[in-house]
Amino acid sequence: MQVMFKLKDYNGAHIEVKAVEDYKFLNSSYVPVLRQLESANLQRFYFENKLENATKDTTNMKFRNPKYLSILNHLRFYLPEMYPKLHRILFLDDDIVVQKDLTDLWKIDMDGKVNGAVETCFGSFHRYSQYMNFSHPLIKEKFNPKACAWAYGMNFFDLDAWRREKCTEEYHYWQNLNENRTLWKLGTLPPGLITFYSTTKPLDKSWHVLGLGYNPSISMDEIHNAAVVHFNGNMKPWLDIAMNQFKPLWTKHVDYDLEFIQACNFGL
């Protein structure tokens, strides 16, 4: 990764490629997810491959994907510590394409909130009730099941507000409570929805258009007007199963001259 980014200029942008090991605070005595990964119960749950379970219960197999407990996925909860001198930061997933200048995000008044994100709810869909277990008394007492969910993928974080609101501590509190997976089942979105429950500022939907990895009905107008498009879902643009109408939005940016890229098995 480091060599690949040094081979090009990228219009003078400073690019720093870091490894998890570079951050010494990421250890099991501080990070609940790392401590949980060390538990025998959790290792059995995620890494025992029992064929009879796979054929009987495909939903359960989805929950058993170890990526949901990967420290790389949970790094997003440690941004203030990773970048202690920064006041604001833009978080981008690895399956997005930036189509427009994003500097105007820094002009947005965050109203003291921590997380600038595009909301995803419509009707009864993408409400908090879909992401966490409201039969659990702790969840029921603290959250509104009809609260609107938002998306990870393009998030603008005010790190000063984050530090003030002690969001990482809040995340640790809930992640520790969920060791037995009774509060939510998988992923980083439920703990994100919990951590930033009252500290999220809704952004205009044109900043972040989602669903290019599963929803064929997104209009090209909507995509054209988007600052960031997001290939969330299984049909990633580098796979053979990608949707043909969306694939060029990603492939046009691929630098085929790089030998690293030529070695990738892209379904192009």
Side-chain angles (χ1 to χ4, degrees), residues 44-158:
R44 261 199 308 278
F45 179 80
Y46 279 105
F47 300 109
E48 268 190 12
N49 185 13
K50 294 199 169 155
L51 198 59
E52 66 270 21
N53 287 350
T55 50
K56 267 193 291 199
D57 189 354
T58 51
T59 309
N60 198 37
M61 288 309 292
K62 177 185 176 183
F63 293 145
R64 285 168 182 254
N65 188 334
K67 81 171 187 181
Y68 295 118
L69 220 62
S70 159
I71 186 59
L72 281 173
N73 261 344
H74 285 258
L75 278 179
R76 64 193 70 196
F77 293 106
Y78 298 97
L79 293 172
E81 286 149 292
M82 295 167 75
Y83 301 99
K85 293 180 180 174
L86 289 187
H87 303 288
R88 289 182 162 197
I89 197 166
L90 178 63
F91 170 88
L92 298 168
D93 264 351
D94 55 5
D95 53 357
I96 60 100
V97 174
V98 177
Q99 302 191 129
K100 296 186 178 177
D101 189 344
L102 302 179
T103 49
D104 278 352
L105 283 166
W106 272 258
K107 297 174 187 169
I108 291 174
D109 182 353
M110 290 285 284
D111 300 320
K113 305 288 190 187
V114 177
N115 169 34
V118 166
E119 292 184 325
T120 52
C121 62
F122 59 97
S124 62
F125 295 99
H126 297 285
R127 304 281 174 180
Y128 269 48
S129 57
Q130 289 177 267
Y131 296 96
M132 51 202 79
N133 176 17
F134 274 87
S135 62
H136 194 291
L138 279 173
I139 295 289
K140 194 174 181 180
E141 175 194 339
K142 179 91 178 176
F143 305 102
N144 177 358
K146 293 180 180 173
C148 188
W150 44 265
Y152 267 128
M154 193 219 76
N155 303 78
F156 190 67
F157 291 112
D158 182 329

Side-chain angles (χ1 to χ4, degrees), residues 211-230:
L212 280 72
Y214 72 89
N215 182 4
S217 61
I218 305 167
S219 79
M220 293 314 288
D221 278 351
E222 201 178 345
I223 287 169
H224 177 73
N225 291 326
V228 168
V229 290
H230 192 174

